[in-house]
Amino acid sequence: MKPDKLKLILFSLSAFIFWSCSSEPTDFGEQYKKTLYIVNSRDMLYVGEHAYGSENNSMSFSVYCASSEPIKSDLTVQLAINPNALDSLNKKSALGNPLYIDKKLLPEANYTLTDLSVTIPANAQYGVLHIPLKPQGLDPDISYALPLTIVSNSEGYDVNEELKTMVYEVKMVNGFSGNYAGSSIELPKTIRSVQPTLKAMSSNSVRMPIHSLSGEARYIKTNFMLLTIGADSTSVTIKPWLDAQITDLGKSTYDKTRQSFYLRYSYTDADGKTFDIEEKITNLDAPVIDTEE
């Protein structure tokens, strides 16, 4: 065999052996740092809906550990209530919206707090802190919020500065609250379209504006009514809210299949003139009913 050909064979064999030894997966270690953040904290504000009468009413804060490798042991993340974050959100929101109404710190009497730490278990990526909510006594005309911030963790991992704080706004709801649309008749013949927002006040009652009002806050004392749905989920009684001059004319009903109200009431305006109203409204989020046979 010629020397040049022998050299070529030996070189090829060496390359094959090297390639075979190098074909095993290479462990380059962790590709990026472990970083902590609060889920749903983008833009800081998160609105959580809570139903009146629910047995498991709690605010949930989920802390996530972003990493290319799972954590090998339990990680403890410490949170803290941060009123300054709520102040910052209010100021920022007011600059962009002159009609913005400041949110207020949720009173301590309305939640149960024993510990503000979150544990992310080994081989997991997130942990959740549940804070029980007690909605009794909350003012329905105030937007309450609880601001929490990540302040430390047991391993000294990085924290995403833009996602370390969540302002959790509490929104109370029930099976009848929401945005509605329909029409009203100012008897005997004046018809107008209406789009009222019904605000939950208890498990079976909602507050709504009179038919000619869009729901401005400055009219709450004189132009709103309270609808209470009976145990049969059909009958409805109407009472004035605060100083409103409203009278229940009877025979008001609720259709739970269509999520719609038929209301009969009268109200007296600031000039002493009384109007009788028949109003039909349907929840905009109600499922579409197929009327075909």
Side-chain angles (χ1 to χ4, degrees):
M1 181 179 296
K2 293 182 179 180
D4 289 343
K5 189 172 183 180
L6 178 60
K7 288 181 180 179
L8 179 60
I9 292 174
L10 292 174
F11 177 81
S12 300
L13 181 60
S14 299
F16 174 78
I17 293 172
F18 176 79
W19 177 83
S20 299
C21 294
S22 303
S23 62
E24 294 297 322
T26 302
D27 184 3
F28 293 105
E30 190 160 15
Q31 300 303 297
Y32 56 88
K33 293 182 178 180
K34 291 179 171 63
T35 304
L36 301 171
Y37 64 88
I38 300 179
V39 179
N40 293 324
S41 60
R42 181 73 62 184
D43 298 324
M44 200 181 299
L45 180 65
Y46 175 78
V47 180
E49 291 190 348
H50 296 269
Y52 280 109
S54 174
E55 295 181 357
N56 298 311
N57 244 334
S58 64
M59 299 172 284
S60 298
F61 296 82
S62 179
V63 178
Y64 191 88
C65 181
S67 62
S68 58
E69 290 185 348
I71 59 176
K72 295 179 174 59
S73 59
D74 290 358
L75 174 68
T76 301
V77 182
Q78 190 64 40
L79 306 179
I81 296 175
N82 185 0
N84 290 334
L86 180 56
D87 293 339
S88 177
L89 175 68
N90 284 333
K91 290 177 182 178
K92 179 181 177 181
S93 300
L95 288 174
N97 179 9
L99 299 179
Y100 176 81
I101 299 176
D102 283 356
K103 304 182 192 308
K104 294 189 177 182
L105 189 64
L106 183 68
E108 292 183 8
N110 292 106
Y111 60 90
T112 302
L113 187 61
T114 56
D115 187 13
L116 272 175
S117 64
V118 176
T119 298
I120 301 178
N123 299 314
Q125 287 186 288
Y126 71 94
V128 183
L129 171 65
H130 299 288
I131 301 179
L133 174 69
K134 297 181 287 185
Q136 293 77 13
L138 290 178
D139 188 325
D141 297 312
I142 294 177
S143 294
Y144 294 99
L146 186 65
L148 293 190
T149 297
I150 297 174
V151 293
S152 65
N153 65 90
S154 58
E155 296 296 330
Y157 294 150
D158 287 353
V159 177
N160 187 318
E161 290 297 315
E162 295 182 357
L163 302 175
K164 71 176 184 179
T165 299
M166 175 191 284
V167 176
Y168 188 110
E169 181 180 353
V170 175
K171 180 180 180 182
M172 298 307 303
V173 299
N174 62 22
F176 312 100
S177 59
N179 296 314
Y180 284 68
S183 62
S184 73
I185 302 176
E186 192 173 285
L187 298 175
K189 60 182 180 179
T190 302
I191 302 176
R192 70 180 77 202
S193 61
V194 292
Q195 289 187 315
T197 295
L198 276 57
K199 184 178 181 65
M201 307 305 289
S202 70
S203 60
N204 69 328
S205 65
V206 287
R207 188 182 67 189
M208 69 171 286
I210 61 174
H211 79 298
S212 60
L213 187 68
S214 60
E216 290 88 345
R218 64 181 181 275
Y219 296 124
I220 285 178
K221 285 189 175 182
T222 57
N223 289 269
F224 280 72
M225 66 189 107
L226 185 71
L227 311 181
T228 301
I229 297 83
D232 59 0
S233 297
T234 300
S235 60
V236 178
T237 58
I238 302 175
K239 292 183 179 180
W241 179 260
L242 299 178
D243 300 332
Q245 300 298 307
I246 293 174
T247 302
D248 188 348
L249 296 180
K251 298 183 179 180
S252 294
T253 58
Y254 175 73
D255 185 329
K256 60 183 178 181
T257 301
R258 291 177 169 77
Q259 296 183 27
S260 61
F261 285 92
Y262 169 66
L263 306 172
R264 298 180 69 252
Y265 63 94
S266 69
Y267 79 96
T268 303
D269 65 14
D271 297 324
K273 187 175 181 181
T274 298
F275 302 87
D276 289 344
I277 307 298
E278 286 188 2
E279 191 165 351
K280 296 179 180 179
I281 54 174
T282 300
N283 193 325
L284 293 176
D285 292 327
V288 177
I289 303 299
D290 187 358
T291 57
E292 294 184 3
E293 295 295 334

